Amino acid sequence: MLQVHYIKDNKETVLAGLAKRNFKNAESTIDAVLKADEDRKSTQAALDAILAESNKISKEIGILFKSGEPQKANVLKEKTGALKEESKQLTDKLAAVNVSLQDLLYTIPNVPNVIVPAGTSEEDNETVFEEGVIPELHEGALPHWELVKKYDIIDFELGNKITAAGFPVYKGKGARLQRALINYFLDKNSEAGYQEVQPPYLVNEASGIATGQLPDKEGQMYHDAKDDLYLIPTGEVPVTNIYRDVILKGEEFPVLNTAYSPCFRREAGSYGAHVRGLNRLHQFDKVEIVRIEKPENSYKALDGMVAHVQELLRELGLPYRILKLCGGDLGFTSALTYDFEAYSTSQGKWLEISSVSNFETFQANRLKLRYKNEEGKKQLAHTLNGSALALPRVLASLLENNQTPEGIKIPEVLVPYTGFDMIN
């Protein structure tokens, strides 16, 4: 959530950033925010004046009673009754103005970093790096949804029977490979200095609002109406909320956490061949990295997170590319995002496997996540997160790219985790 004072002091910058995002009605929304803020200030000032006058009269009443002048005191008491009613009206008005202002701010996405390219869709994203050799597969090579049937390692039909489409069942070596990837990612993240945490998989509304999933992505989240809890769409939500309403000390920076979690997304409107198999699921596993940084260090930290994900993909032997997302494809809360895509040889296309983002103060403002700077003043921290990594499409690419006539080779780095080097 943008800060009102930032919007007021940087109106043209905010409007230019929202234009890069193709945000509709930007100017009228910003003007409505500034007007609501002026209403808030004038209402607060009027309320403060009435409360001050009421306090002053109360003291005078006490003096008059002590001085033996009850008639004058009673006249003033009638006036305090009128002031009390007026203050109640102003208090109600102030509460309504604050809600209106907050609701307006919730609709405004983050301002993109200046290096974010303009664009309207994923077609306008910039490829900034590409690495790895796309393997040449043998004749008769299969897409992963056929491979998993052939080797009986993932069962989509069984998942559909138990739950619904998009909830696969991993079996045998498929389940062990899934667990191996999770443990490998967690170990690598821990080696890089991230503390492993195991968060809850359901969160309350306040947690969803704090990291920006609510109200923006409410339709994509599974909601338990009885307890008013949401299944998490990513481990970013509970892990970042560990620091909601926290004031960090300078020596606590940087804060680095990693977590494995299942993730749940409705993915409304996702149908067709492009979402077949593991390409898009309603439940999937992901290992997340989350950082909290001082503002002056956050973009250096973002570069470090990108380099860390690159190392994971190199060790897995996957050809990959890095995209800088354009304004039209940038997530609601992000100031800058790099997407990683692995190449699926059997499908002949790139599959998104990670997003690494800097949210600057956008989430921290909602979280009320602050720290004391060198002058002892409280200021907002920067939050960052990245997938390291999301499993379904990593697994799809590994299965397809490493298939041979004899079976599917397991990357050397995973063999100590799986206990086998071939699926056959």
Side-chain angles (χ1 to χ4, degrees), residues 5 59 61 111 115 120 122 131 177 205 235 245 284 287 343 367 371 410 419 424:
H5 74 81
K59 291 178 182 178
I61 291 171
V111 175
I115 70 169
T120 58
E122 62 184 22
E131 185 175 74
L177 178 55
E205 183 182 46
D245 297 317
F284 60 94
V287 176
Y343 194 75
L367 289 155
Y371 72 99
I410 302 300
N424 52 23

Side-chain angles (χ1 to χ4, degrees), residues 189 194 257-258 287-291 305 308-309 384-386 388:
N189 295 346
Y194 291 87
N257 285 312
T258 184
V287 176
E288 197 80 1
I289 50 176
V290 173
R291 295 181 72 119
M305 294 169 75
H308 178 68
V309 175
L384 306 92
N385 89 281

Side-chain angles (χ1 to χ4, degrees), residues 26 31 40 42 52 58 70 78 90 97 102 110 143 153 186 233 271 304 308 348 362-363 389 395:
D31 286 343
R40 178 189 64 79
S42 62
S58 294
E78 290 180 12
L90 285 171
V97 170
Q102 192 88 325
N110 203 355
I153 55 174
L186 286 172
Y271 304 98
H308 178 68
F362 193 86
Q363 287 184 332
L389 288 157
L395 186 56

Side-chain angles (χ1 to χ4, degrees), residues 237-309:
V237 181
V239 175
T240 309
N241 269 281
I242 292 171
Y243 302 93
R244 175 154 47 94
D245 297 317
V246 167
I247 300 173
L248 293 168
K249 297 177 182 177
E251 60 268 23
E252 293 180 271
F253 286 92
V255 177
L256 288 77
N257 285 312
T258 184
Y260 154 72
S261 75
C263 304
F264 304 88
R265 299 182 189 178
R266 280 204 174 100
E267 300 284 8
S270 298
Y271 304 98
H274 69 290
V275 297
R276 194 170 180 185
L278 295 169
N279 287 353
R280 186 163 296 171
L281 301 174
H282 295 302
Q283 177 183 321
F284 60 94
D285 292 321
K286 183 152 68 82
V287 176
E288 197 80 1
I289 50 176
V290 173
R291 295 181 72 119
I292 300 170
E293 296 279 353
K294 292 181 179 179
E296 62 267 26
N297 298 329
S298 69
Y299 278 96
K300 182 179 179 182
L302 181 68
D303 291 341
M305 294 169 75
V306 168
H308 178 68
V309 175

